[in-house]
């Protein structure tokens, strides 16, 4: 059926229309599902030619590991990436929204997006929601003014720093960064420092774990996304093979039941041949 009513444009940003519904359901005894948080260790450093960002790959829902290989380094622009901590869905949605806005900015101006522009757009959006968007970002990038690193909190405050760490593993990671960072570092040294900082968070924080991801950003949109750069928390190797000879475990009793073949609904014998049970490999 055709309509002459004009279609309304969708409201931009996050929608909170279901808040009253969720509150009513919670009051009626329905338990809401736990949101997935990244329980993260993220950090970044500025080196001589650019920026290195790093993150672990464990996401958690409460006290359960939801994903062992979560991607926490988000694309924002060809010369800008973000490491995200907080609520996983908010980090993904926020970075994708900002990425689309920066792409329109780049197409309209015909120029590379400055990192400070991306920082301003993110902080103004987060400030409007007063911290209710659980997104904590470390934004790094290189533009015509050089390498830049910003720490962005959920309520909209930002800081420009030479190195930064956020997430539940901040304390061990920051101790490594403060002890090892120096001005005009080489790329290899910066990558190793970020790797060590993330590993410190992985081994000293229950919310962090699995692998180490890195992003190296240099001038002229030169980006290296090093997925699975290092496996800090390796799985142990089983030292013995647990195989037992036939007859090791004695059969205490044996009982055979005969099933009659009748027209009544019940069991149907397909074959009376005895087939050996396949041995499960446990090594």
């Amino acid at each position: 059926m055709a309509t002459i009513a004009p279609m309304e444009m969708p409201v931009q940003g996050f929608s909170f229309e279901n808040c009253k519904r969720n509150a009513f359901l919670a009051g009626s005894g329905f338990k809401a599902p736990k949101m997935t948080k990244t329980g993260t260790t993220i950090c970044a450093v500025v080196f001589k030619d650019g920026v290195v960002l790093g993150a672990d790959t464990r996401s958690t829902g409460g006290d359960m590991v939801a994903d062992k290989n979560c991607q926490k380094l988000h694309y924002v622009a060809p010369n800008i990436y973000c490491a995200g901590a907080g609520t996983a869905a908010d980090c993904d949605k926020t970075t994708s929204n900002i990425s689309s806005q920066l792409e329109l900015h780049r197409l309209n101006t015909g120029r590379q997006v400055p990192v400070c522009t991306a920082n301003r757009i993110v902080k103004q959006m987060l400030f409007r929601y007063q911290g209710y968007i659980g997104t904590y970002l470390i934004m790094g990038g290189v533009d015509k003014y050089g390498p830049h690193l910003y720490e962005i909190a959920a309520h909209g405050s930002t800081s420009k720093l030479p190195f930064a760490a956020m997430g539940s593993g901040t304390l061990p990671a920051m101790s490594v960064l403060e002890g090892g960072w120096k001005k005009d570092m080489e790329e290899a040294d910066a990558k190793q420092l970020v790797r060590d900082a993330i590993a410190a968070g992985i081994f000293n924080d229950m919310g962090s774990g699995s692998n180490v991801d890195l992003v190296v950003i240099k001038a002229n949109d030169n980006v290296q996304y090093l997925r699975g750069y290092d496996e800090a928390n390796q799985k142990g190797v089983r030292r013995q093979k647990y195989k037992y000879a036939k007859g090791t475990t004695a059969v205490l009793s044996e009982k055979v039941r005969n099933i009659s073949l009748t027209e009544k609904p019940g069991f149907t014998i397909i074959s009376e041949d005895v087939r050996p049970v396949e041995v499960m490999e446990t090594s």
Side-chain angles (χ1 to χ4, degrees):
M1 179 178 177
T3 177
I4 59 174
M7 297 185 64
E8 295 182 359
M9 292 294 292
V11 180
Q12 296 181 353
F14 288 78
S15 175
F16 295 95
E17 295 176 355
N18 293 328
C19 290
K20 291 184 177 180
R21 182 204 66 180
N22 294 341
F24 172 77
L25 292 175
S28 301
F30 293 93
K31 292 185 178 180
K34 294 181 179 180
M35 58 184 175
T36 300
K37 294 187 177 181
T38 52
T40 299
T41 301
I42 57 174
C43 65
V45 300
V46 175
F47 68 99
K48 182 174 64 175
D49 300 321
V51 178
V52 178
L53 289 86
D56 71 303
T57 60
R58 173 183 289 181
S59 65
T60 56
D63 55 354
M64 302 293 291
V65 176
D67 190 355
K68 295 181 180 179
N69 200 23
C70 175
Q71 189 172 346
K72 303 180 185 180
L73 299 176
H74 306 276
Y75 169 88
V76 178
N79 62 315
I80 305 171
Y81 272 74
C82 277
T87 305
D90 290 350
C91 290
D92 290 340
K93 185 65 175 177
T94 299
T95 52
S96 62
N97 282 345
I98 299 303
S99 178
S100 64
Q101 294 183 44
L102 295 181
E103 180 65 15
L104 292 176
H105 182 282
R106 186 183 68 84
L107 294 173
N108 287 331
T109 60
R111 301 175 182 177
Q112 186 185 61
V113 180
V115 184
C116 62
T117 301
N119 173 62
R120 175 60 65 90
I121 294 175
V122 173
K123 71 187 296 183
Q124 287 181 343
M125 190 210 77
L126 292 177
F127 180 77
R128 291 201 306 269
Y129 291 96
Q130 295 292 300
Y132 284 97
I133 297 176
T135 302
Y136 299 82
L137 300 175
I138 296 178
M139 177 180 291
V142 180
D143 54 27
K144 63 180 181 179
Y145 304 106
H148 306 277
L149 200 63
Y150 290 94
E151 186 179 87
I152 307 172
H155 52 272
S157 69
T158 62
S159 303
K160 186 175 183 181
L161 303 166
F163 57 90
M166 297 187 83
S168 55
T170 298
L171 294 179
M174 184 57 75
S175 66
V176 174
L177 294 177
E178 289 180 345
W181 185 87
K182 57 182 180 291
K183 191 176 181 180
D184 294 332
M185 296 180 68
E186 296 294 333
E187 179 181 343
D189 296 335
K191 289 163 66 175
Q192 184 63 36
L193 178 63
V194 172
R195 182 263 166 206
D196 292 342
I198 298 298
I202 288 174
F203 291 118
N204 294 279
D205 172 44
M206 292 298 292
S208 306
S210 299
N211 308 327
V212 178
D213 290 349
L214 295 183
V215 167
V216 182
I217 309 172
K218 293 186 283 189
N220 302 319
D221 299 345
N222 184 2
V223 176
Q224 288 181 288
Y225 195 114
L226 304 175
R227 180 79 164 140
Y229 176 77
D230 183 61
E231 187 177 354
N233 196 2
Q234 296 183 1
K235 185 178 180 181
V237 179
R238 184 171 294 174
R239 298 182 179 180
Q240 297 180 359
K241 292 186 177 180
Y242 300 95
K243 290 185 177 180
Y244 299 97
K246 185 176 180 180
T248 302
T249 303
V251 178
L252 300 180
S253 63
E254 183 176 350
K255 184 178 181 181
V256 179
R257 294 183 60 186
N258 295 323
I259 302 174
S260 61
L261 298 176
T262 61
E263 296 181 356
K264 296 181 180 180
F267 297 99
T268 302
I269 296 178
I270 298 176
S271 174
E272 295 184 359
D273 297 334
V274 179
R275 292 177 295 178
V277 179
E278 297 180 358
V279 178
M280 183 177 64
E281 181 62 38
T282 60
S283 60

